[in-house]
């Protein structure tokens, strides 16, 4: 029978703790590079599928539904609707947080009524833990809170969070 080691059993064995100094360099690729450069300029851009009309934000070079190459860059609004929200007590670096960070999916509004923005941007939401527990935040209209222009670097953090409007 297999069972996980108990805390006292762990002490019976020599253990080694090591935090590697690993650094990674990652190429964003054609679609995400344009998306990040757009953020630096205070714009949220996606790619539109010519067949079904979906606008992908973050952008994709191929439509996940039609398998058609997306063909057009489209700027979408920096406002949308909260579709999902979760309170995370673990930081991006896996540290325990006393105050939760609220993250979720925001379905952004298209710039044109003909477009449909898909699937939604995953980002921080500036709201309380209580807003999440009571699910009050779901369906709320939110708007991007941008960093000042001189502090933007072409990163998803150029948007601090999405605030309820
Ligand atoms: Zn499509």
């Amino acid at each position: 029978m297999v069972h996980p080691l108990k805390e006292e059993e762990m002490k019976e064995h020599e253990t080694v703790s090591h935090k590697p100094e690993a650094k990674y360099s990652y190429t964003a690729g054609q679609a995400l590079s344009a998306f990040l450069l757009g953020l630096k300029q205070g714009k949220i851009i996606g790619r539109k599928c010519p067949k079904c009309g979906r606008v992908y934000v973050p952008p994709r070079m191929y439509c996940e539904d039609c398998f058609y190459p997306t063909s057009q860059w489209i700027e979408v609004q920096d406002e949308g609707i909260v579709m999902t929200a979760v309170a995370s007590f673990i930081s991006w670096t896996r540290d325990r947080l006393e105050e939760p960070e609220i993250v979720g999916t925001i379905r952004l509004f298209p710039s044109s009524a003909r477009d449909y923005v898909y699937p939604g941007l995953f980002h921080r939401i500036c709201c309380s833990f209580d807003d999440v527990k009571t699910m009050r935040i779901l369906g709320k209209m939110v708007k991007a809170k941008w960093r000042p222009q001189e502090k933007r670097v072409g990163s998803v953090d150029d948007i601090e969070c999405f605030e309820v409007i």
Side-chain angles (χ1 to χ4, degrees):
M1 189 173 160
V2 178
H3 68 90
L5 287 175
K6 294 185 180 107
E7 196 63 40
E8 56 269 19
E9 289 173 317
M10 292 288 281
K11 289 175 187 156
E12 293 169 12
H13 303 281
E14 191 169 328
T15 59
V16 176
S17 287
H18 175 67
K19 200 170 182 178
E21 280 290 317
K23 302 216 185 314
Y24 296 93
S25 191
Y26 172 75
T27 304
Q30 197 179 346
L32 276 180
S33 295
F35 175 69
L36 295 172
L37 288 171
L39 292 177
K40 195 174 179 180
Q41 296 163 11
K43 295 177 183 173
I44 301 176
I45 58 168
R47 286 283 284 189
K48 185 173 179 175
C49 170
K51 197 168 177 205
C52 69
R54 285 180 176 183
V55 178
Y56 285 85
V57 178
R60 300 277 180 266
M61 296 311 282
Y62 282 86
C63 178
E64 291 168 7
D65 197 47
C66 318
F67 303 111
Y68 231 73
T70 55
S71 59
Q72 195 184 354
W73 293 104
I74 299 264
E75 183 179 350
V76 302
Q77 295 185 41
D78 67 352
E79 295 177 13
I81 299 276
V82 176
M83 304 304 289
T84 67
V86 65
S88 174
F89 286 87
I90 301 169
S91 77
W92 300 101
T93 51
R94 296 176 56 194
D95 296 312
R96 181 165 272 286
L97 299 172
E98 290 301 316
E99 284 296 310
E101 187 167 46
I102 314 298
V103 291
T105 308
I106 295 115
R107 176 161 289 163
L108 298 167
F109 296 136
S111 296
S112 155
R114 291 184 312 259
D115 293 331
Y116 174 75
V117 181
Y118 182 87
L121 193 63
F122 188 73
H123 214 292
R124 283 183 291 268
I125 303 167
C126 295
C127 70
S128 70
F129 182 30
D130 201 49
D131 290 336
V132 178
K133 276 195 291 191
T134 59
M135 297 199 286
R136 249 190 328 254
I137 192 65
L138 300 178
K140 284 276 191 295
M141 266 183 67
V142 289
K143 182 176 177 59
K145 182 181 176 189
W146 294 90
R147 284 191 198 283
Q149 195 170 0
E150 66 278 5
K151 290 193 176 165
R152 290 188 214 138
V153 294
S155 148
V156 286
D157 285 330
D158 290 347
I159 295 172
E160 289 178 34
C161 65
F162 280 82
E163 297 179 299
V164 174
I165 49 173

